[in-house]
């Protein structure tokens, strides 16, 4: 299941990147066609709307999979480890029910009800746009089941530690990125001693004199 999650994380990451790039291109072209060319592209408004819907729901599923959504954990962390574990599982079960009932079931019904209602400027329908709801619901449901099993087995902490910051997790998506160490880290890696550069300014002044 870990392998499936890792693959799904990377796929969702690049899908959201691609959708965001498409959204930027559409909005920029909308501005250029209206303000510069004086010939507004009628499809850009609906295109941006459809792209934004899919981007928002896919990005929500991705961030949920990374446990990056805002969570108030101050009170929960005051409890014992066993109670904290139970509360974390209950939270994931609530999210699972929300994903299945509201997003999957409700989103599918909304998509089917509007499946034949076409967009005015694009060869798509509102139902196809609403299809992002059940798709993202399935993704969130998978992540919920993954965390429920992991927390129950003790393989995953009930709540992410400070070291699990989403910004630190980005390393697995950019493995070839070179991160330069800080000055303190560099001196520690060199043996714990900080090397000082020789002062050559005095010798240069002596030569000039």
């Amino acid at each position: 299941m870990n392998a499936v999650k890792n693959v799904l994380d990377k796929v969702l990451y690049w899908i959201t990147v691609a959708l965001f790039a498409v959204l930027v291109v559409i909005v920029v072209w909308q501005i250029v066609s209206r303000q510069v060319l004086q010939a507004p592209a009628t499809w850009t408004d609906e295109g941006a709307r459809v792209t934004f819907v899919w981007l928002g729901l896919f990005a929500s599923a991705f961030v949920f999979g990374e446990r990056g959504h805002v969570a108030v954990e101050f009170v929960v962390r005051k409890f014992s480890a066993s109670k904290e574990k139970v509360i974390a599982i209950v939270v994931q079960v609530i999210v699972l029910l929300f994903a299945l009932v509201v997003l999957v079931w409700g989103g599918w019904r909304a998509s089917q009800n509007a499946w034949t209602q076409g967009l005015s400027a694009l060869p798509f329908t509102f139902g196809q746009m609403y299809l992002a709801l059940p798709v993202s619901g399935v993704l969130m449901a998978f992540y919920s089941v993954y965390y429920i099993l992991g927390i129950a087995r003790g393989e995953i902490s009930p709540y992410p530690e400070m070291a699990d910051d989403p910004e630190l997790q980005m390393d697995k998506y950019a493995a070839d990125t070179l991160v330069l160490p800080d000055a303190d880290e560099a001196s520690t890696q060199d043996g714990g001693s900080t090397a000082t550069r020789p002062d050559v300014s005095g010798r240069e002044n002596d030569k000039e004199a």
Side-chain angles (χ1 to χ4, degrees):
M1 201 168 186
N2 290 330
V4 177
K5 180 184 180 296
N6 292 334
V7 173
L8 187 60
D9 288 342
K10 293 185 177 181
V11 171
L12 275 178
Y13 172 80
W14 288 111
I15 288 178
T16 53
V17 169
L19 288 174
F20 183 78
V22 172
L23 179 61
V24 171
V25 171
I26 293 175
V27 173
V28 170
W29 177 247
Q30 182 181 35
I31 297 173
V32 171
S33 63
R34 179 179 302 173
Q35 302 297 333
V36 179
L37 303 179
Q38 300 298 322
T42 57
W43 62 271
T44 54
D45 183 50
E46 290 183 345
R49 188 188 312 166
V50 173
T51 307
F52 184 78
V53 170
W54 279 83
L55 172 62
L57 291 171
F58 271 60
S60 298
F62 171 72
V63 175
F64 178 73
E66 295 293 314
R67 307 178 81 178
H69 283 297
V70 176
V72 181
E73 308 163 1
F74 178 78
V75 177
V76 177
R77 291 184 183 274
K78 299 295 184 181
F79 297 150
S80 61
S82 58
K83 292 181 180 178
E84 185 177 339
K85 184 177 180 179
V86 171
I87 294 174
I89 293 177
V90 171
V91 170
Q92 292 297 331
V93 170
I94 294 174
V95 174
L96 176 61
L97 293 176
F98 174 82
L100 293 177
V101 176
V102 177
L103 294 179
V104 177
W105 182 74
W108 177 256
R109 292 198 60 180
S111 175
Q112 293 303 302
N113 291 335
W115 193 260
T116 58
Q117 185 179 355
L119 298 172
S120 60
L122 290 175
F124 302 108
T125 65
F126 282 96
Q128 293 170 340
M129 181 175 67
Y130 297 154
L131 196 62
L133 289 168
V135 173
S136 63
V138 171
L139 296 174
M140 290 185 183
F142 169 80
Y143 283 125
S144 295
V145 172
Y146 172 82
Y147 285 119
I148 290 172
L149 296 178
I151 295 172
R153 296 171 181 171
E155 301 173 354
I156 302 175
S157 61
Y159 293 95
E161 302 296 335
M162 296 302 295
D164 295 334
D165 191 279
E167 293 183 358
L168 301 179
Q169 295 181 6
M170 295 304 293
D171 292 340
K172 61 185 177 183
Y173 303 109
D176 298 332
T177 303
L178 176 63
V179 179
L180 298 178
D182 296 335
D184 296 338
E185 296 179 356
S187 62
T188 304
Q189 294 176 358
D190 291 339
S193 60
T194 304
T196 58
R197 296 183 179 178
D199 186 8
V200 297
S201 58
R203 286 181 290 179
E204 291 179 352
N205 293 332
D206 294 340
K207 291 181 180 179
E208 293 178 356

